[in-house]
Amino acid sequence: MILALKKKRNKKKLMEDENKVTLHGMWISSYAKTVELALKIKGIAFDYVEEDLSNKSSLLLKYNPVYKKVPVLLHRGRPVSESLVILEYIDETWKNQPRFLPDDPYERARVRFWAIYCRQISDTMKKAFISAQEVDEDRAFDEFFEKLQVMEEGMKDFFPGERSNNCSENLGLLDIIIVGSLGTYKAAEEVLGMKVLDPERNPFIYSWVNTLLELPLVKQTLPPHDKVVSRLEFIKQNGFTFQTNI
């Protein structure tokens, strides 16, 4: 009887170890936050490991030897890197609702296209924030505003009606990516003293983003506003080399 119980416990522990999920991230990394949000949306239990990119852990270097950056998802002892790749891996591995990508191949391709474009917007904003310390802020953000306007028009065509009306019921890949890209825009506005996301210039995206920011899971996932402001103030005062993994 005791031996049978031990075997049962060992089998259960083995199954738990095989299905264990661990996320290596960093609190300020927008890419890591998209993966964290995706795991929560799917209801996947996971362990979280906070990384210091100025002193990278041996595990991070082991699991992501190519880029040596976060996020890294460890599932069944196997690492998956790059946030967009990880998001698709999550959706394909855990097929419960909501699904992040549509079943139709053409629609999947459209979502992937805009997801990549939205990531470019995020990178452009980060570069603009850094360069705004050296040149006029309006000039520094010219490319960002141009890209944002292109996405504004693209999303009006992509989503019929107001996306803010139904995004909370069926969060998809673009919702997750837009949260990672623009979820902390208010902190950037506070530090820069300028509008980053304007409701008059970009009403669709403004409404979409702010609706998502009110969702409990999003509030739980994004870093505290004051903490982001403090980090951005530090960057503004001291300067930082732009890093795409943040």
Side-chain angles (χ1 to χ4, degrees), residues 9 40 53 75 86 109 119 139 143 154 162 172 180 185 244:
R9 288 196 196 101
K40 290 177 179 178
L53 296 186
H75 180 222
I86 296 171
R119 281 277 299 269
R139 284 175 51 209
E143 184 183 358
E162 291 287 335
Y185 83 91
T244 57

Side-chain angles (χ1 to χ4, degrees), residues 4-121:
L5 284 172
K6 283 184 177 179
K7 285 182 177 179
K8 187 176 181 180
R9 288 196 196 101
N10 290 338
K11 184 178 180 181
K12 182 179 179 182
K13 186 177 185 306
L14 182 61
M15 289 177 65
E16 289 174 351
D17 290 343
E18 285 180 351
N19 292 312
K20 185 176 180 180
V21 177
T22 303
L23 172 63
H24 290 254
M26 184 180 179
W27 72 270
I28 194 65
S29 169
S30 59
Y31 301 147
K33 286 299 177 183
T34 61
V35 175
E36 186 178 340
L37 178 58
L39 290 168
K40 290 177 179 178
I41 291 170
K42 287 283 192 177
I44 302 166
F46 65 98
D47 292 334
Y48 178 78
V49 177
E50 176 71 11
E51 293 285 352
D52 178 0
L53 296 186
S54 64
N55 184 26
K56 298 173 183 178
S57 72
S58 58
L59 285 178
L60 179 61
L61 298 177
K62 173 186 176 182
Y63 294 140
N64 192 0
V66 177
Y67 294 115
K68 303 177 178 64
K69 64 183 183 181
V70 295
V72 174
L73 186 77
L74 196 66
H75 180 222
R76 295 178 176 173
R78 299 177 298 187
V80 185
S81 305
E82 289 297 292
S83 59
L84 286 176
V85 176
I86 296 171
L87 293 175
E88 290 206 36
Y89 176 84
I90 290 171
D91 198 38
E92 291 168 359
T93 303
W94 291 273
K95 297 184 183 296
N96 57 297
Q97 295 295 327
R99 297 303 304 272
F100 298 154
L101 285 157
D103 293 329
D104 180 76
Y106 177 71
E107 293 302 323
R108 288 171 73 89
R110 291 180 71 208
V111 171
R112 287 190 180 109
F113 173 86
W114 284 113
I116 293 169
Y117 189 84
C118 190
R119 281 277 299 269
Q120 292 173 357
I121 289 176

Side-chain angles (χ1 to χ4, degrees), residues 121 125 144 148 177-185 197 205 209 213:
I121 289 176
M125 183 171 73
F144 167 75
L148 198 61
I177 297 295
I178 201 77
V179 166
S181 298
L182 296 173
T184 57
Y185 83 91
L197 194 55
I205 293 179
V209 169
L213 291 179

Side-chain angles (χ1 to χ4, degrees), residues 138-192:
D138 289 335
R139 284 175 51 209
F141 275 82
D142 279 349
E143 184 183 358
F144 167 75
F145 290 136
E146 288 174 8
K147 286 183 178 294
L148 198 61
Q149 189 58 42
V150 170
M151 188 156 189
E152 171 82 11
E153 298 305 319
M155 291 300 94
K156 286 178 184 177
D157 177 62
F158 190 87
F159 292 118
E162 291 287 335
R163 178 58 181 158
S164 57
N165 291 337
N166 59 8
C167 62
S168 62
E169 300 173 3
N170 190 25
L171 292 169
L173 186 68
L174 290 180
D175 298 300
I176 296 168
I177 297 295
I178 201 77
V179 166
S181 298
L182 296 173
T184 57
Y185 83 91
K186 293 178 183 178
E189 290 184 340
E190 183 173 331
V191 173
L192 292 169

